Amino acid sequence: MSFSAAANARDFETREPTSLHFRRDSNLKLYSELVDCTVREASKYSPVPNVLDLGAGDGQAALAFLRLGCTVTAVDISEHQLERLRHDCAAFAPQLAVHVCNLETDARNIPGSFDIISASSMLHHIPDYGQLIRDVIQLLKPHGQFFSFQDPLRYDSLPITDRLFSEVSYAACRIRQPDALGGIARKMRRMRGVYLADCVADNSEYHVVRNGVDAEAIRAIFESNGFLCRIVPYFSTPSDFMQPLESA
Ligand SMILES: C[S@@+](CC[C@H](N)C(=O)[O-])C[C@H]1O[C@@H](n2cnc3c(N)ncnc32)[C@H](O)[C@@H]1O
């Protein structure tokens, strides 16, 4: 298993909830609208669209698809998170299949073909997310859609003001969490370009602590495979204080 897969397996054995991004009303609203739109499009071709949810975690992302009547195959490297998903999505059990899977190596072996492949807060965990996308494109039906949400945009493509705002709002939140001093020490080490193979924080949120996710490279993969691509930029921060400034 790669350093990043091992770091994710370890990290998500204890994380509860899996991720905080659905705690924000604005984020949840945008996510629900985009899911709605994706499912409406899929329904033109399949009366009951089937969804492959990559890195499904505790199932908060899957719930939006389940509530709209889709069937969902949820895959994740963490058995612990999938246990929580089974619990939180129990009302939709007949619509749900759950598999432990390391998407860095085993994505192309997932059985079936899908109307929608969803990756919520997921691609940035995978060092070679381009390869993952190329692998799962093979699992889409004709007219199938790939939907990803909540990855950080490539930092060096952002205006300096956006980068600064984002850094300050993250720091304002991080400073009140456990091991703030350790976090600062790791950040300073990484700023010198030093990443440690055995450090979970350097390898779990892999591209968050590097240069973000390259939306244009992802667009190029889809367009070269004959897909139309839409990118919807938005602002999201874990800081309660800064999020209301999102539209400023
Ligand atoms: C930030 S969470 C997102 C969970 C959920 N999709 C959501 O939006 O709330 C990322 C998830 O990706 C999973 N993950 C990370 N690396 C993985 C890998 N190599 N294979 C499968 N799942 C992975 C983690 O276990 C975790 O549940």
Side-chain angles (χ1 to χ4, degrees):
M1 197 184 274
S2 73
F3 292 128
S4 54
N8 274 284
R10 208 167 124 201
D11 192 7
F12 285 94
E13 276 313 297
T14 50
R15 275 217 219 175
E16 291 185 30
T18 314
S19 47
L20 299 176
H21 60 106
F22 291 131
R23 221 182 42 169
R24 308 242 145 269
D25 288 345
S26 55
N27 241 24
L28 190 55
K29 182 167 175 286
L30 176 63
Y31 178 74
S32 305
E33 284 168 8
L34 293 171
V35 166
D36 226 57
C37 179
T38 310
V39 171
R40 228 175 311 120
E41 177 65 21
S43 304
K44 293 179 190 167
Y45 307 98
S46 299
V48 180
N50 66 343
V51 181
L52 174 62
D53 187 6
L54 305 174
D58 59 5
Q60 301 314 301
L63 273 172
F65 289 103
L66 291 165
R67 287 187 183 118
L68 290 173
C70 300
T71 60
V72 173
T73 299
V75 296
D76 201 287
I77 200 166
S78 166
E79 175 61 46
H80 172 70
Q81 294 299 333
L82 292 177
E83 272 307 314
R84 297 184 56 230
L85 180 146
R86 281 190 195 93
H87 176 267
D88 288 6
C89 301
F92 300 97
Q95 290 160 246
L96 192 60
V98 175
H99 303 291
V100 176
C101 172
N102 177 2
L103 290 165
E104 283 188 30
T105 48
D106 300 335
R108 72 189 71 184
N109 300 326
I110 295 170
S113 57
F114 300 89
D115 297 296
I116 299 169
I117 298 182
S118 172
S120 168
S121 192
M122 206 285 139
L123 294 179
H124 62 265
H125 289 271
I126 306 292
D128 192 351
Y129 53 81
Q131 187 55 51
L132 171 61
I133 290 170
R134 280 186 282 271
D135 287 346
V136 298
I137 277 178
Q138 312 302 325
L139 306 177
L140 281 172
K141 292 179 188 169
H143 308 291
Q145 300 169 81
F146 182 91
F147 169 64
S148 81
F149 187 74
Q150 194 72 6
D151 287 302
L153 292 174
R154 215 180 94 175
Y155 304 137
D156 62 7
S157 71
L158 299 176
I160 187 75
T161 43
D162 291 21
R163 271 185 86 172
L164 274 175
F165 186 72
S166 186
E167 288 279 345
V168 170
S169 53
Y170 177 73
C173 176
R174 180 66 182 87
I175 202 84
R176 283 179 279 121
Q177 289 174 357
D179 192 27
L181 286 179
I184 293 170
R186 284 191 291 276
K187 174 126 184 135
M188 290 173 71
R189 167 171 57 69
R190 290 182 203 125
M191 283 167 75
R192 290 184 278 114
V194 180
Y195 289 81
L196 304 180
D198 61 353
C199 173
V200 169
D202 284 7
N203 293 285
S204 174
E205 307 259 359
Y206 192 88
H207 291 286
V208 170
V209 296
R210 288 174 176 76
N211 193 25
V213 169
D214 191 338
E216 288 307 324
I218 292 175
R219 183 203 292 277
I221 295 173
F222 282 105
E223 291 186 346
S224 67
N225 280 277
F227 289 84
L228 295 174
C229 188
R230 180 160 76 109
I231 299 174
V232 182
Y234 61 96
F235 180 73
S236 164
T237 171
S239 161
D240 291 330
F241 173 64
M242 303 292 247
Q243 183 67 46
L245 303 176
E246 66 185 300
S247 54

